[in-house]
Amino acid sequence: MASPQPHKPRRRRIQESSLAHVTHGTIDNTNTPKPAFPLVAFLWPAKGTVSQWVTLPLILMAVGLFRWTTGFWGYSGYESPPMHGDFEAQRHWMEITTRLPVSQWYFHDLEWWGLDYPPLTAYHSWLLGAVGTLINPGWFALFTSRGLDDPSLKIYMRATVFVSEYFIYIPAAIIFLRRFSRLEGVNLWEASIALVAVLMQPGTMLIDHGHFQYNTVMLGLVLGSMSSMIAGRPLWGCVFFVAALGFKQMALFYAPAFFVYLLGICFVPRIKTLRLIAIALVTAVSFALLYAPFLLGVAYDSYRGIDMSNYSVPPLLASLPINLNEKAWYYPIVLQFFQSVHRIFPFARGLFEDKVANVWCAIHTWHKLNQYPSALVQRAALLATSAAIAPPCLILLIKPRKDLLPLALAATSWGFFLCSYQVHEKNVLLPLLPMTVLLSGKRGLLPSIRAWVGLANMLGVWTMFPLLKRDDLRVPYFVITLLWAYLLGLPPVSLSAYYEGTSGGLTLGTKILHLNIYLAMIGWHVLEGFVPPPERLPDLWVVLNVLIGAAGFGICYLWCLWNLATKSGIFGSKFRAISSERSKPKTL
């Protein structure tokens, strides 16, 4: 008698039509069905037949290759004394966290890249510095390592960005896009297309792997918070967002949207008192755990008898209407806590740094704002920021839905970038992240969304060109930016998203607006590259970059706000139906 054949489960056949069709934005059906843009064509062989466990490693290897090769080029401050730049700042923080007592972290030689980020950045710097010290102690030797441009140090520092990103940002991006695409009814293959677009974002790659920073650690923690919210785990969302704030205070750009969403799910459609208490407790405990290692280290230094009597009292602590006993056991802990807050929120630095494409820098080009008292300018920035973030926050408070989170976060962070105090040009990465993940949502790959996401990213990296040029990153800037534009079928490489009759296409007015902005960017590059500015206006091209960028970002803010309002249905179901009908792709 023959032995029974082992059972083989029947593989589920996936219809190609369910993976790629007009309504998803991956097929252009204007004449004969074909991939809508080059990125779809690249991933076409993986459609329906190749396991995600084959596709995903290939994607990660490809995007990793571009990240590592970007690191071959220059970085902020290379051979640029006296301060050297952001590379030296990050290296110096590894130096002080590994070589000095905890009680000196926020006080040590503040004129030379004093630590001005929250404690999680300090812990991260300590870890990387400790590992680097095992390889070469001279890299982080106190005082003598300042301004070090050792090629082996460059390799190590580049590797720390790469490893940090692959441990935090990339896993968070994968998990979030899978959950968000599932929520929006988008299949796994199309989510993979969106994943490549997100991981190949030119601005993030050029700043972290070129200029040199660790922004993706903070952005990854934000994605972890968004992912937890979408999965229905708001408590974990609080933990991840507190961690993001604990790494870089710029995560405050997202705080209003997260706050009103959490408040909304506690009161809409009914009051959930226990959930509200749990969210408050978890948030408070998370902040306590964030600061605990730092403050315990200070207490230990005090116990060891390390002198802190010569430390100046931070302005915030000095302004409190109470007298603290400097001999009390708790005084060093209070002093260090307020000093860290003072360093994290440096209001004395001014309204903006360098030339940044926001409202205040644009106004400053024709009406100098430094003639006004600092307190008045700060209040103006507060009022303008509040006015910009109020509409998206109000919509999300009334309609606390998971699918609205990316648009609400994009709108509020655009409001912060355009109107807030102490904004850097690199802060544009914050609104670009939630806007770019819209590609993984419903109709996200259609031109009606893809063109807007592409415009925001191209404009964002273009406004950072003066910074990247100083770092000798012109070649990677053009290569990575134009490659991203090609993959998504965007100008100046392709006009496929703007063809007449394209499925899910744009209105004529939108096409004219977008193409004029692209022409302005191209024309600016021609002028900047071949026409020297007048002697009496040496910053003319940089100022023009600011003005064009600020106007374009303002339009991106309005687009996010408008789409948030229509998607939420706050104008009524009839209006939402009309808006959805207009954005539906055409079929032949």
Side-chain angles (χ1 to χ4, degrees):
M1 183 176 178
S3 59
Q5 294 293 324
H7 173 68
K8 293 183 179 180
R10 185 173 59 185
R11 294 180 61 185
R12 185 175 61 180
R13 296 183 61 85
I14 303 176
Q15 296 296 323
E16 287 195 358
S17 61
S18 70
L19 288 175
H21 50 71
V22 179
T23 59
H24 291 173
T26 48
I27 285 185
D28 180 7
N29 203 31
T30 51
N31 294 309
T32 57
K34 61 181 180 180
F37 48 95
L39 185 54
V40 178
F42 277 115
L43 291 176
W44 195 266
K47 176 173 54 66
T49 57
V50 179
S51 168
Q52 60 172 311
W53 301 113
V54 174
T55 306
L56 187 57
L58 293 175
I59 291 173
L60 298 186
M61 284 190 287
V63 300
L65 179 64
F66 283 101
R67 280 161 163 73
W68 192 252
T69 52
T70 301
F72 290 161
W73 295 83
Y75 54 80
S76 173
Y78 176 66
E79 295 185 347
S80 302
M83 296 303 292
H84 294 276
D86 281 347
F87 182 91
E88 170 60 18
Q90 302 290 343
R91 189 215 59 79
H92 180 62
W93 296 342
M94 297 177 196
E95 172 192 335
I96 62 175
T97 52
T98 54
R99 294 294 190 268
L100 295 174
V102 176
S103 57
Q104 296 185 29
W105 286 2
Y106 285 100
F107 280 100
H108 176 73
D109 195 5
L110 300 180
E111 296 300 318
W112 184 270
W113 298 114
L115 183 59
D116 55 3
Y117 280 109
L120 193 55
T121 285
Y123 308 152
H124 180 253
S125 298
W126 174 85
L127 176 62
L128 300 181
V131 174
T133 299
L134 295 176
I135 301 171
N136 187 342
W139 289 343
F140 308 108
L142 196 61
F143 298 118
T144 59
S145 61
R146 290 186 176 184
L148 191 63
D149 287 319
D150 183 1
S152 59
L153 172 63
K154 175 185 175 180
I155 294 173
Y156 174 74
M157 296 289 280
R158 293 295 196 194
T160 62
V161 178
F162 192 89
V163 172
S164 297
E165 187 166 323
Y166 269 73
F167 264 104
I168 298 174
Y169 178 73
I170 288 182
I174 294 169
I175 295 170
F176 170 78
L177 292 180
R178 294 287 169 86
R179 287 176 174 171
F180 184 65
S181 60
R182 191 181 305 123
L183 176 71
E184 293 274 279
V186 176
N187 63 66
L188 190 60
W189 177 67
E190 290 174 330
S192 298
I193 296 171
L195 176 65
V196 176
V198 170
L199 296 184
M200 287 293 292
Q201 260 188 293
T204 304
M205 199 181 304
L206 288 166
I207 291 299
D208 275 25
H209 298 272
H211 174 81
F212 196 88
Q213 283 191 337
Y214 296 95
N215 293 292
T216 48
V217 175
M218 179 265 292
L219 295 174
L221 293 169
V222 170
L223 283 173
S225 181
M226 294 169 65
S227 180
S228 298
M229 302 289 186
I230 287 175
R233 302 185 182 102
L235 299 183
W236 276 109
C238 295
V239 172
F240 280 117
F241 187 63
V242 169
L245 283 171
F247 192 83
K248 284 201 173 187
Q249 60 270 35
M250 281 78 77
L252 281 170
F253 281 33
Y254 302 124
F258 277 124
F259 174 76
V260 296
Y261 174 77
L262 292 169
L263 195 64
I265 63 174
C266 292
F267 288 95
V268 178
R270 63 183 184 278
I271 298 175
K272 304 178 184 69
T273 307
L274 290 177
R275 173 180 281 181
L276 180 62
I277 294 172
I279 288 173
L281 285 175
V282 167
T283 303
V285 170
S286 298
F287 273 111
L289 291 175
L290 172 70
Y291 260 92
F294 171 65
L295 297 180
L296 287 173
V298 171
Y300 181 64
D301 287 351
S302 179
Y303 170 75
R304 289 194 298 159
I306 293 179
D307 184 24
M308 304 182 206
S309 60
N310 60 339
Y311 291 163
S312 59
V313 179
L316 182 59
L317 180 58
S319 66
L320 294 180
I322 55 175
N323 293 320
L324 296 176
N325 182 6
E326 296 185 9
K327 303 297 183 181
W329 65 269
Y330 57 80
Y331 181 76
I333 297 175
V334 175
L335 176 70
Q336 292 283 344
F337 174 78
F338 277 91
Q339 174 68 2
S340 69
V341 173
H342 172 65
R343 293 292 301 162
I344 292 167
F345 299 104
F347 288 107
R349 288 187 182 176
L351 188 58
F352 53 84
E353 290 196 9
D354 212 348
K355 301 291 192 299
V356 55
N358 74 348
V359 169
W360 303 117
C361 192
I363 293 174
H364 188 72
T365 60
W366 54 270
H367 184 75
K368 302 307 177 186
L369 297 174
N370 52 12
Q371 63 183 302
Y372 299 104
S374 178
L376 178 63
V377 174
Q378 289 176 19
R379 285 195 291 269
L382 177 62
L383 288 174
T385 305
S386 301
I389 67 174
C393 288
L394 184 60
I395 293 171
L396 194 60
L397 180 63
I398 297 171
K399 303 279 188 176
R401 293 187 350 225
K402 300 173 184 177
D403 60 323
L404 299 180
L405 261 177
L407 278 169
L409 289 166
T412 55
S413 50
W414 276 126
F416 264 96
F417 179 82
L418 288 167
C419 304
S420 186
Y421 196 85
Q422 249 303 296
V423 173
H424 300 250
E425 63 269 64
K426 293 161 285 190
N427 293 156
V428 75
L429 300 179
L430 280 87
L432 288 181
L433 174 67
M435 195 169 175
T436 307
V437 299
L438 294 173
L439 294 172
S440 65
K442 187 177 182 181
R443 294 193 292 272
L445 297 174
L446 288 171
S448 54
I449 293 178
R450 175 164 49 92
W452 279 99
V453 171
L455 176 70
N457 276 277
M458 297 294 285
L459 189 62
V461 72
W462 175 77
T463 59
M464 293 188 287
F465 178 78
L467 171 72
L468 299 171
K469 180 183 175 182
R470 289 199 299 269
D471 298 336
D472 196 24
L473 292 168
R474 285 182 291 258
V475 172
Y477 163 82
F478 284 110
V479 171
I480 292 173
T481 303
L482 294 179
L483 173 64
W484 195 79
Y486 164 73
L487 290 174
L488 292 180
L490 299 169
V493 180
S494 171
L495 295 175
S496 63
Y498 297 88
Y499 288 157
E500 188 65 31
T502 301
S503 301
L506 304 164
T507 63
L508 178 62
T510 301
K511 292 177 182 178
I512 294 173
L513 175 65
H514 282 207
L515 294 178
N516 274 291
I517 293 175
Y518 280 112
L519 286 174
M521 289 190 281
I522 295 169
W524 182 90
H525 271 302
V526 173
L527 290 173
E528 190 274 336
F530 299 102
V531 181
E535 289 185 7
R536 63 185 184 88
L537 297 172
D539 294 330
L540 178 62
W541 303 143
V542 179
V543 169
L544 187 61
N545 181 291
V546 166
L547 294 175
I548 296 171
F553 292 151
I555 294 169
C556 291
Y557 162 76
L558 293 174
W559 181 84
C560 291
L561 181 59
W562 175 256
N563 278 271
L564 175 64
T566 54
K567 188 173 183 177
S568 69
I570 200 167
F571 294 139
S573 56
K574 183 177 180 180
F575 183 88
R576 183 182 179 187
I578 294 173
S579 179
S580 299
E581 188 65 31
R582 286 177 177 174
S583 64
K584 280 183 179 179
K586 303 177 183 69
T587 55
L588 299 179

